[in-house]
Amino acid sequence: IAAKVDSRRVTLESDMREAQTDLSKNQVIREGLSRVADELGKGKNPASSINAVTFNDKKVLLDFLGGDEAPSHETLAQKTSLIEEFIKEGVRKITRLQVEGENLQASNLTGGKDIEATLKNSLESSKLANAYSGALNADAVQRLIR
């Protein structure tokens, strides 16, 4: 069991990094969409802004919109709604991963230190660190496991 828990801990750490990266990328896209909406509202051409929004040296807004042409207000509203759903799903995924990590930590099958370090590192690098509430009581989970 301890070997499986150790294996899951490693996978959990990778999954957490991936989820945080996706969430950060989607937040960058949301900010870019907001900027494009502002420029369209002012009657400006947002092509330069669309090309300027990058994440890890990739033009993520250009890819998300499917081109650097000015989107219609309807298309922009649809894309904004879509990115909001992606962000909500990213937050849910990170929350699930945090709960799983807390469960592994509470079980103490691997000494708990590695899991604790994984959670701490993930939370420090996440913009959601303030949302972390430590919702599980480690003692209660330990009693349930026994």
Side-chain angles (χ1 to χ4, degrees):
I1 292 176
K4 287 184 179 183
V5 170
D6 280 338
S7 174
R8 181 58 188 142
R9 180 191 58 79
V10 171
T11 305
L12 182 68
E13 189 173 336
S14 173
D15 291 349
M16 184 68 83
R17 272 194 308 266
E18 182 181 313
Q20 290 169 337
T21 301
D22 286 344
L23 182 60
S24 295
K25 178 184 84 170
N26 289 333
Q27 288 171 328
V28 167
I29 291 171
R30 180 179 59 187
E31 292 301 317
L33 288 171
S34 177
R35 194 173 339 149
V36 168
D38 288 345
E39 289 181 2
L40 282 176
K42 294 176 182 176
K44 296 181 180 179
N45 184 352
S48 62
S49 291
I50 292 171
N51 284 306
V53 176
T54 61
F55 184 80
N56 288 340
D57 298 326
K58 294 180 182 170
K59 295 181 178 184
V60 291
L61 186 55
L62 178 68
D63 292 341
F64 187 72
L65 290 174
D68 61 354
E69 296 177 12
S72 68
H73 289 287
E74 181 180 308
T75 301
L76 192 59
Q78 290 172 347
K79 293 290 187 173
T80 300
S81 177
L82 182 61
I83 203 69
E84 290 294 334
E85 286 302 314
F86 289 165
I87 289 171
K88 287 177 187 175
E89 180 56 35
V91 170
R92 284 191 292 267
K93 183 174 184 178
I94 287 173
T95 301
R96 283 192 305 269
L97 291 170
Q98 287 174 336
V99 168
E100 184 178 352
E102 290 170 354
N103 286 337
L104 288 174
Q105 180 181 359
S107 72
N108 203 24
L109 292 173
T110 60
K113 296 295 183 197
D114 292 335
I115 297 295
E116 188 175 342
T118 297
L119 284 172
K120 184 177 180 188
N121 289 339
S122 296
L123 291 172
E124 286 175 357
S125 65
S126 172
K127 291 183 179 183
L128 297 174
N130 292 334
Y132 175 70
S133 63
L136 293 180
N137 179 331
D139 293 330
V141 174
Q142 186 71 13
R143 284 193 304 271
L144 289 172
I145 291 171
R146 289 184 192 147

